[in-house]
Amino acid sequence: MTTMARGATTGSAGARSTGVARVPGGVAPVPAGPAGPAGTGEGVPGQAVSAGAAAGRGSEIRRHELATFLRSRRERITPEQVGLPRGRRRRTPGLRREEVAQLSAVGVTWYTWLEQARDIQVSEQVLDALARTLLLDAGERAHLFQLAGAVDPSPAAQCSGITPALRLMLRQLEPVPACIQNSRYDILAYNRTYARLMMRDLDAVPPADRNCLVLAYTNAEWRESIVFLDEAMRLMAARLRVSMAGHLGEPAWKMLVKRLRTESAEFREIWERYEVVSARGKTKQFVSPYVGLVTVDHTDLWLAPAQGARMVTYPPADEQSRRRLERLHEIALEAEAGESGAA
């Protein structure tokens, strides 16, 4: 390394053509500046070097900001929040690095390097896992991806395709439960009756987890509400495979499948069957935690077939279900009024 640096400084012309810049772990050649008129090689000295140095400095600053941000979020989370025992000899505030790595399914050494601001590549899948492990809210998640120089493929952020008119339609459909989903089963918007049909309050679920597949395979409360759970899981996985054929290689789709395969043995087994099925309406039954058994007719109203966006509606299939949905709507309104009064 010393020989390279000494040889590069022999003469000013040699310095322009074979200069070196120190980088982590050693030295690397720096391209010469732009050539001057008539190929004389007398360009603007240091112009390309300065641009490269500025870009490198910016990347270094972002890596240090990312490292600091991760440490701060790791230290604020208690082991109990993520289902880990505290132990008697814990001195580290919050979680340990190895605990974050384990919960995020990444290597301990790799995560340590990330917190040390090492120059390493971070995929969208890993950032998504870290965001969930560190219990980041929507703003913190967006900040994490921005610091990492990555695009967040998750629908957790506000979806620009959900217009005020569509939200108004969801409200006006009440007491009929309704939501807007994309072809990945991400729940992008929903009305108050839908929020309480299959669990006590969908609003309490983090936006990154508001996905019908994730809920059906991993959320105990959601699973308990579906009368024919095994059939529902099989059909959703088969429909996902059909939809995914048009999105192979896209990060958001790969992240969803990887997450489901990691968190659910049931999904792994069903996914390996390679079943496919086309979309179709059907009668479904749910056991609401508030009003009991409800029988509904699942109907898809397609908003943008090319993107797979659809409004999913659950009109009652019988008179008893109609009355129970009306009562569910009343419960939702009462809850909303109580929250407004408390504020």
Side-chain angles (χ1 to χ4, degrees):
M1 185 181 299
T2 304
T3 304
M4 289 177 63
R6 186 164 53 243
T9 57
T10 55
S12 59
R16 280 196 297 272
S17 59
T18 60
V20 296
R22 294 191 177 274
V23 296
V27 294
V30 176
T40 60
E42 297 298 324
V44 180
Q47 185 177 32
V49 176
S50 299
R57 180 60 178 163
S59 297
E60 182 181 356
I61 292 173
R62 284 204 310 181
R63 290 198 305 272
H64 281 279
E65 285 292 320
L66 175 61
T68 302
F69 180 67
L70 288 172
R71 283 196 299 272
S72 70
R73 292 306 176 266
R74 171 172 61 82
E75 292 172 356
R76 74 174 184 176
I77 299 175
T78 64
E80 293 83 356
Q81 286 179 281
V82 293
L84 295 176
R86 172 169 290 277
R88 296 182 177 180
R89 298 184 178 181
R90 180 177 291 271
R91 297 180 180 178
T92 303
L95 296 179
R96 299 186 178 100
R97 285 174 174 172
E98 56 266 30
E99 291 170 336
V100 173
Q102 178 183 359
L103 292 169
S104 304
V106 300
V108 177
T109 300
W110 185 92
Y111 181 75
T112 300
W113 286 351
L114 195 59
E115 281 203 7
Q116 290 175 345
R118 300 281 190 97
D119 189 5
I120 58 177
Q121 295 296 317
V122 190
S123 69
E124 291 90 349
Q125 291 91 333
V126 168
L127 291 171
D128 174 72
L130 290 174
R132 287 188 281 112
T133 296
L134 298 173
L135 306 179
L136 302 187
D137 62 25
E140 292 168 334
R141 181 187 174 96
H143 186 61
L144 172 69
F145 275 81
Q146 186 174 28
L147 288 177
V151 177
D152 186 357
S154 169
Q158 184 82 4
C159 178
S160 59
I162 307 301
T163 64
L166 286 174
R167 295 187 185 278
L168 178 61
M169 288 179 63
L170 289 173
R171 285 286 181 115
Q172 291 182 336
L173 281 170
E174 293 174 337
V176 172
C179 70
I180 296 176
Q181 299 177 15
N182 59 20
S183 53
R184 282 196 310 271
Y185 284 97
D186 297 319
I187 304 171
L188 306 177
Y190 49 90
N191 62 18
R192 293 165 293 192
T193 317
Y194 183 89
R196 289 167 175 79
L197 176 63
M198 288 167 278
M199 60 194 328
R200 294 199 171 275
D201 189 2
L202 183 57
D203 290 345
V205 176
D209 295 338
R210 291 177 197 162
N211 175 285
C212 290
L213 275 162
V214 171
L215 293 168
Y217 278 97
T218 68
N219 185 285
E221 187 178 7
W222 190 278
R223 289 165 61 88
E224 290 175 1
S225 74
I226 303 175
V227 174
F228 302 104
L229 178 61
D230 291 343
E231 179 186 9
M233 291 192 298
R234 182 180 63 82
L235 290 176
M236 283 194 291
R239 287 182 63 177
L240 178 70
R241 188 173 286 283
V242 170
S243 300
M244 192 169 180
H247 303 274
L248 296 174
E250 294 182 19
W253 291 77
K254 293 193 295 184
M255 283 169 53
L256 174 61
V257 172
K258 181 177 180 180
R259 177 180 180 182
L260 288 166
R261 288 177 63 91
T262 300
E263 298 181 8
S264 172
E266 290 174 302
F267 180 82
R268 290 196 300 273
E269 191 274 326
I270 293 174
W271 190 247
E272 291 305 320
R273 298 178 191 174
Y274 281 82
E275 294 180 338
V276 295
V277 64
S278 59
R280 62 179 185 272
K282 61 173 296 183
T283 299
K284 295 185 176 182
Q285 289 185 313
F286 303 104
V287 179
S288 167
Y290 293 101
V291 298
L293 181 66
V294 176
T295 304
V296 296
D297 291 320
H298 178 128
T299 304
D300 287 328
L301 306 175
W302 296 95
L303 304 176
Q307 288 77 37
R310 64 191 184 276
M311 183 176 292
V312 179
T313 63
Y314 290 134
D318 54 49
E319 181 61 23
Q320 183 184 59
S321 296
R322 182 189 65 79
R323 292 195 301 269
R324 290 182 175 180
L325 288 179
E326 289 175 349
R327 176 55 187 150
L328 186 60
H329 183 226
E330 293 172 359
I331 292 172
L333 293 178
E334 292 167 2
E336 188 174 68
E339 292 170 0
S340 300

